[in-house]
Amino acid sequence: MKTKHRHATRFLLLLPAMLLLAACEETSNSANPLDRPHDPNAEIIITNIGPENGGIGTKIIVSGSNFGNDPAKVKLYFNSKEAFVIKVQDNAIYALVPKQPGDFSTIRVVIDGRESILPDRQFQYFIKSSVTTIAGQQGVSTSIDGPALEATMGRPSMLAVNDEGLLFVSDDGGMRLRLISIADRKVTTLIEGMNGPWQCAFTPDYQRFYVLERNVGPRPLLFYELNKGSNWMEQTSFWDQTDASGNYIAGRLGYAGLAVDEEYVYLMSLAGSKLVRVHQETKKVELIGENFPLPNWNHLCYNPKDGMLYISAESFGRIYRVDPRLTPPGHDTPWITFNDLEHILGGGRGVPREGNGTYAQFGSLEQLCFDAEGNMYVVDFQNHVVWKIDPEMNATVIAGNGTSGYADGNPKESMFTIPYGLTCTPDGILYVGEAGENRLVRCVSIQ
């Protein structure tokens, strides 16, 4: 099912841009004395910004002089976050406020390597946040397609979203792969009769999608591929292969972890007994690690920002990372041991404790994901909350009040019941699948 719509957040950002651009063009249709190039020998001066507060996508005008008339040459920053510049004339820059630059932002303009800062004032950023239900009926555990809030979910356990607002759901209870079109607000079934559909992921370019069957019954079947070229309607099966001794490489094990980079699909078996990679083009299956003393359930995620593979160890309440291409001396292909895993987050399972790195304390962890800025998010089903971990490893609870239940609204006052699935758009809009009694897919938007 191919959609012509982008994610709702991008549309909301672009709509004011189009309206602002139309207003700007009224001036440009007649001779404009301010339509002149930047003078590299003159000073860049910023005198004002209006409005002086707002949230993501707020239309702003930066006033001053010697900005030129080429938007491609003008960089506008709110602290370290770059704004989207719509139009420039010599005395004004028309732009949209970027996402979460900080509570107060210093305004900086850079043109051809020269910069100027707005003196004596800052822009105040207002966060817009909410938790909303986007699919399913609370407490109903059937698997029926239809309008999103009339459809039902057997057990929406694992999720993946692409850059066009298509949300794929591994409905473990319904034994099927579901598709939620966020723009059309509809739920449809893509694959039926699956044996434990579980972790799923897109390639970083969103051209391919993979979904794992975790149960041992279908072996040597490993996972399915769907691709954008067929509008996600055709599936390709990937199968296990045998080694030189005639033994299956993945073997008759249950697999819970799946992650995808630009070239490979990575699988981790229950209890960490095997780490396998499968080439997306050749379908070659390789064992690249084994005998990790990890808990039974472990989930994987690839972070394109650093090229590392991240592992959430459920009952340990810990997160590890490793280089999936680590090839030690004496090996021709990657070979990873438990000693190669870096323990980066979580001091052991318990009640939520915000903090940095291993000082932070999580409960039981399930699916994790990354946004385009490298922020990590993970669901804690024991404590019924959603965590955010920034690139400096500071962990904070961003949604859920720590008790089981159902409540939309303010993220810190919202309630979840056993959140298992989690995915996010590049700009940080989160989708949560509840494997507990709610049987819902929820959206967490903090902008």
Side-chain angles (χ1 to χ4, degrees), residues 140-144 151-155 171 174 178:
V140 180
S141 59
T142 56
S143 295
I144 300 174
T152 56
M153 296 281 170
R155 189 170 179 253
D171 186 347
R178 317 287 292 279

Side-chain angles (χ1 to χ4, degrees), residues 198-212:
W198 203 243
Q199 197 165 8
C200 52
F202 286 93
T203 52
D205 63 2
Y206 298 106
Q207 296 300 303
R208 299 179 182 185
F209 167 84
Y210 298 91
V211 57
L212 171 70

Side-chain angles (χ1 to χ4, degrees), residues 312-328:
S312 61
E314 182 193 83
S315 61
F316 283 5
R318 294 178 177 181
I319 295 175
Y320 300 86
R321 70 180 171 193
V322 69
D323 179 358
R325 299 176 188 266
L326 177 65
T327 305

